[in-house]
């Protein structure tokens, strides 16, 4: 049995009729930009996120960028960011001219370690940008307490963890502004690029809405230098059709993760995902670690098992950030994760047989 890293088939079959009907309604409406579909989805996703405001934008990177601009983070400022995130988190900071200040993750949860935050704060620090990596909520209680004590903004990068929670609070509801992505492979995925910003601050929401639409609230009247970053009507309609299924699909992901945890337990040189106290995990990715990562991935590929590496080069060692003069060894936890992490197949609709197939091949390889 071949097991792909990701299959959309079960999800697509579950919502095919609803998605096609929603797209037809947009087509027939003859209104294709910032219309009723966007308004409807923004209201629905705000309710889901337990926030008062949601602003649909073109993609997750734009969501982070516009959040920083709305908070007036600028050149000369510093933003604390994980050392082991996807580069988009860093890019958004660079777009506003600020400096990313990397902080290492907790080596067991892979999320930003609150115990290391205060040592990274300087008089130039303006914000903390925690990333709910792989689907697990960060320890937001400690992060928010530190931010409040130092008068710092918090911008959650919630691209991978829609529906996760910390101490009962939903990710994307803690920060001053919070960004998410609806890239097709996300837990709530569009049929192309899409994103959103969530907040409980009406004034900040107004700023983001203005920035996403050429700096304009009224057509042809431009108050600030803005961007063209509007959530598309068709994508909004698709997301509205899929949102009611999100928590059902999340439950399926968690069931798959529980089977992996059971079947992969006790294998030498294999570290399974760990969840912090008070946090929940929605398993956008199921990530294991082994010193034999590359060899294991090659073996699984030969057996018809799809895997991916998230992420093989940490941001501080990317060519794009060479100007910051980081070198190998500066952030050893991020670098170790980059050389040992492997993402196993994970998607709603995976069967116990799929999990057993993957697990048995891993067990065979690591115990031989």
């Amino acid at each position: 049995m071949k097991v792909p890293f990701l299959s959309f088939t079960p999800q697509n079959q579950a919502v095919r009729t609803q998605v096609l009907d929603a797209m037809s309604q947009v087509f027939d409406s003859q209104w294709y930009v910032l219309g009723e579909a966007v308004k409807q989805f923004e209201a629905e996703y705000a309710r889901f996120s337990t926030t008062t405001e949601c602003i649909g934008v073109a993609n997750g990177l734009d969501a982070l960028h516009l959040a920083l601009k709305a908070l007036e983070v600028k050149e000369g400022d510093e933003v604390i960011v994980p050392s082991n995130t996807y580069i988009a988190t860093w890019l958004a900071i660079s777009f506003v001219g600020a400096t990313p200040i990397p902080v290492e993750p907790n080596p067991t949860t892979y999320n930003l370690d609150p115990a290391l935050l205060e040592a990274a704060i300087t008089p130039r620090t303006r914000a903390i940008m925690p990333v709910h990596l792989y689907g697990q909520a960060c320890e937001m209680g400690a992060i928010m307490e530190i931010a409040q004590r130092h008068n710092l903004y918090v911008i959650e990068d919630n691209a991978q963890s829609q529906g996760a929670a910390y101490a009962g609070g939903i990710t994307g509801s803690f920060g001053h502004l919070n960004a998410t992505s609806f890239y097709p492979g996300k837990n709530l995925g569009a049929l192309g690029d899409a994103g959103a910003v969530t907040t409980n601050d009406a004034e900040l929401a107004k700023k983001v809405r203005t920035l996403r639409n050429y700096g304009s609230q009224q057509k042809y009247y431009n108050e600030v230098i803005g961007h063209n970053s509007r959530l598309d009507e068709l994508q909004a309609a698709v997301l509205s059709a899929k949102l009611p299924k999100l928590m059902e699909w999340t439950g399926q992901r968690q069931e798959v993760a529980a089977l992996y945890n059971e079947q992969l337990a006790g294998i030498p040189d294999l570290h399974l995902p760990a969840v912090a106290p008070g946090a929940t995990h929605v398993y956008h990715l199921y990530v294991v670690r082994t010193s034999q990562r590359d060899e294991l991935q090659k073996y699984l590929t030969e057996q018809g098992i799809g895997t991916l590496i998230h992420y093989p080069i940490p941001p501080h060692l990317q060519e794009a950030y060479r100007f910051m003069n980081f070198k190998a060894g500066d952030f050893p936890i991020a670098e170790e994760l980059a050389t040992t992490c492997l993402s196993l197949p994970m998607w709603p609709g995976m069967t116990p047989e799929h999990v057993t197939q993957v697990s048995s091949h891993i067990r065979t390889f690591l115990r031989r």
Side-chain angles (χ1 to χ4, degrees), residues 271-293:
H271 301 272
L272 305 184
V275 181
T280 67
H281 203 315
V282 297
Y283 294 99
H284 171 60
L285 299 170
Y286 186 91
V287 179
V288 298
R289 288 176 50 225
T290 173
S291 63
Q292 303 174 68
R293 191 270 308 281

Side-chain angles (χ1 to χ4, degrees), residues 8-48:
F8 292 117
T9 301
Q11 291 173 277
N12 286 355
Q13 289 176 340
V15 295
R16 179 181 177 84
T17 299
Q18 297 94 314
V19 167
L20 294 180
D21 286 348
M23 294 174 72
S24 293
Q25 290 174 28
V26 172
F27 182 80
D28 291 338
S29 76
Q30 300 186 38
W31 191 295
Y32 306 125
V33 176
L34 292 186
E36 291 303 314
V38 168
K39 291 178 184 176
Q40 177 182 330
F41 176 70
E42 288 176 337
E44 292 167 348
Y45 194 73
R47 285 194 295 272
F48 175 82

Side-chain angles (χ1 to χ4, degrees), residues 30 52 65 70 102 107 112 122 146 172 207 304 313 322:
Q30 300 186 38
T52 57
H65 179 203
L112 193 64
T122 76
I146 292 167
K207 284 186 175 184
I313 303 175
R322 177 180 284 189

Side-chain angles (χ1 to χ4, degrees), residues 34 210 213-224 230:
L34 292 186
T210 303
N213 190 34
Y214 297 100
S216 172
Q217 296 183 70
Q218 181 181 352
K219 195 167 185 176
Y220 303 130
Y221 291 82
N222 303 85
E223 304 162 23
V224 295
R230 303 172 297 204

Side-chain angles (χ1 to χ4, degrees), residues 22-332:
M23 294 174 72
S24 293
Q25 290 174 28
V26 172
F27 182 80
D28 291 338
S29 76
Q30 300 186 38
W31 191 295
Y32 306 125
V33 176
L34 292 186
E36 291 303 314
V38 168
K39 291 178 184 176
Q40 177 182 330
F41 176 70
E42 288 176 337
E44 292 167 348
Y45 194 73
R47 285 194 295 272
F48 175 82
S49 303
T50 67
T51 58
T52 57
E53 306 279 353
C54 170
I55 308 96
V57 297
N59 54 67
L61 175 54
D62 281 3
L64 291 166
H65 179 203
L66 297 184
L68 287 162
K69 285 199 73 170
L71 293 170
E72 300 180 14
V73 178
K74 59 189 183 305
E75 186 174 357
D77 293 335
E78 296 176 348
V79 178
I80 293 174
V81 67
S83 58
N84 63 318
T85 184
Y86 181 55
I87 199 169
T89 320
W90 285 45
L91 291 176
I93 298 166
S94 298
F95 285 173
V96 297
T99 302
I101 302 298
V103 167
E104 291 270 66
N106 180 314
T108 59
T109 67
Y110 316 140
N111 275 339
L112 193 64
D113 190 342
L116 303 179
L117 284 176
E118 291 198 272
I121 294 173
T122 76
R124 297 170 64 183
T125 307
R126 288 291 306 284
I128 303 171
M129 192 177 282
V131 179
H132 306 293
L133 197 64
Y134 304 150
Q136 179 174 183
C138 291
E139 297 172 69
M140 291 307 300
I143 292 171
M144 295 305 297
E145 189 276 327
I146 292 167
Q148 184 174 15
R149 185 149 37 86
H150 292 272
N151 196 30
L152 302 176
Y153 293 121
V154 172
I155 304 165
E156 297 173 65
D157 182 336
N158 194 34
Q160 298 186 359
S161 298
Q162 298 138 352
Y166 181 77
I170 299 294
T171 54
S173 69
F174 291 92
H176 297 84
L177 286 167
N178 311 295
T180 194
S181 167
F182 303 117
Y183 182 79
K186 303 301 186 187
N187 290 24
L188 179 63
L191 301 185
D193 278 317
V197 176
T198 56
T199 183
N200 286 306
D201 189 313
E203 284 302 309
L204 289 177
K206 181 179 176 181
K207 284 186 175 184
V208 175
R209 282 196 179 92
T210 303
L211 286 166
R212 77 169 174 185
N213 190 34
Y214 297 100
S216 172
Q217 296 183 70
Q218 181 181 352
K219 195 167 185 176
Y220 303 130
Y221 291 82
N222 303 85
E223 304 162 23
V224 295
I225 296 173
H227 302 260
N228 177 13
S229 181
R230 303 172 297 204
L231 176 62
D232 182 84
E233 279 283 285
L234 277 171
Q235 301 299 353
V238 170
L239 291 167
S240 283
K242 297 175 88 172
L243 182 57
K245 301 286 288 184
L246 177 55
M247 293 316 291
E248 177 185 335
W249 290 335
T250 296
Q252 293 176 23
R253 289 177 180 274
Q254 292 169 332
E255 289 171 4
V256 170
L259 286 173
Y260 272 136
N261 289 342
E262 178 183 322
Q263 296 188 23
L264 296 175
I267 299 177
D269 191 27
L270 187 70
H271 301 272
L272 305 184
V275 181
T280 67
H281 203 315
V282 297
Y283 294 99
H284 171 60
L285 299 170
Y286 186 91
V287 179
V288 298
R289 288 176 50 225
T290 173
S291 63
Q292 303 174 68
R293 191 270 308 281
D294 293 346
E295 296 86 350
L296 175 60
Q297 183 180 44
K298 181 175 182 294
Y299 174 78
L300 292 176
T301 299
E302 292 168 351
Q303 310 309 312
I305 308 297
T307 62
L308 283 179
I309 297 171
H310 296 86
Y311 303 97
I313 303 175
H316 71 281
L317 296 180
Q318 294 281 0
E319 182 70 20
Y321 283 97
R322 177 180 284 189
F323 70 93
M324 294 189 73
N325 296 316
F326 292 122
K327 61 184 185 302
D330 284 348
F331 298 97

